[in-house]
Amino acid sequence: PLDPLVADAAVLEVGCSDAGLLAHLRTLPDAPARSAIGVSRDKGAASAEADRPRPDFGYVGERLEWHDRASSLDALDPNTFDLIICRDFEQSFAMADVEGGLKRFYGLLRPGGGALLTVRCAGPEASQQGPGYGILTPSSWVMLLLASGFEISNERRLWRRMEDAKIMSSILPLSSEEERMTDEIRLRVVRPWESWELEKAWAAKS
């Protein structure tokens, strides 16, 4: 439903698990991705997928890379990717790294490139010391994305259980019902052209 551009795209997936999605995008029959790089969570992460053996994707060819260290993200060149996928943002970036992670994505994308992101919103655990980002409501996420330079082109919201929504009404009493009901947001965001990039492109054509 978010309609990402995959054909002939250089794709990066952060939190790629076994890279199965990237292998699929590289072998689409009509319009495959040009190249794909996957960055998984560190092997030390407490997750079942950390110890899962990686399938043999030899049939995909050489245009698929897979890295099992999150730090590999820092070694990638800027303005390299047409599409970034991160299906579980909070599992890839700690609370203190949210803004840095979004800015890193912005820097890795080519002008006009996009990202598919799934972000979780404040839940009943916000009043406790539980997992998740606590106070990040849907509006907070939107502000962070816009502050990082992205434009939001499409979104899809998933609602939380009614019993959790009732708890949220006491945690966020001044928020709208939509704010309290939103459990996670799946977004397609675009990295727009900067003015200086447009000027450079126009100068090259003239």
Side-chain angles (χ1 to χ4, degrees):
L2 300 179
D3 194 27
L5 179 63
V6 175
D8 198 36
V11 182
L12 167 68
E13 184 179 11
V14 178
C16 68
S17 185
D18 63 2
L21 174 62
L22 294 176
H24 172 70
L25 297 180
R26 278 284 297 130
T27 55
L28 289 172
D30 297 325
R34 180 173 71 256
S35 63
I37 294 179
V39 177
S40 183
R41 281 177 281 170
D42 291 341
K43 283 294 186 182
S47 109
E49 72 182 39
D51 298 321
R52 188 181 305 159
R54 183 187 176 218
D56 180 8
F57 292 131
Y59 65 91
V60 174
E62 297 181 357
R63 304 295 290 172
L64 171 62
E65 297 180 26
W66 181 81
H67 304 275
D68 63 3
R69 291 285 176 185
S71 57
S72 301
L73 193 64
D74 297 327
L76 300 175
D77 293 329
N79 299 333
T80 300
F81 299 96
D82 303 295
L83 175 64
I84 294 177
I85 301 170
C86 186
R87 291 180 283 172
D88 196 340
F89 195 89
E90 72 174 303
Q91 292 296 329
S92 300
F93 297 96
M95 179 64 176
D97 298 329
V98 173
E99 292 184 69
L102 291 174
K103 289 178 180 178
R104 181 61 177 149
F105 283 179
Y106 187 95
L108 289 170
L109 284 168
R110 294 190 177 104
L116 294 181
L117 309 175
T118 298
V119 299
R120 289 186 60 204
C121 303
E125 70 274 7
S127 60
Q128 307 168 9
Q129 296 299 315
Y133 286 148
I135 61 171
L136 284 184
T137 64
S139 296
S140 301
W141 276 114
V142 169
M143 287 188 289
L144 282 171
L145 288 162
L146 295 178
S148 299
F150 288 107
E151 296 177 359
I152 299 173
S153 65
N154 205 345
E155 70 173 54
R156 185 181 184 187
R157 299 194 179 199
L158 277 67
W159 309 122
R160 64 179 80 254
R161 300 177 303 172
M162 288 302 300
E163 53 266 35
D164 289 340
K166 292 178 181 178
I167 299 174
M168 292 305 299
S169 65
S170 61
I171 297 175
L172 301 172
L174 302 180
S175 296
S176 68
E177 183 176 1
E178 184 178 16
E179 289 278 288
R180 297 192 294 260
M181 285 291 294
T182 301
D183 184 42
E184 70 177 41
I185 315 175
R186 298 174 183 177
L187 303 124
R188 180 187 178 194
V189 298
V190 176
R191 190 275 210 210
W193 285 81
E194 302 279 4
S195 59
W196 66 269
E197 292 170 329
L198 286 172
E199 291 174 1
K200 185 177 179 180
W202 290 333
K205 288 184 179 180
S206 62

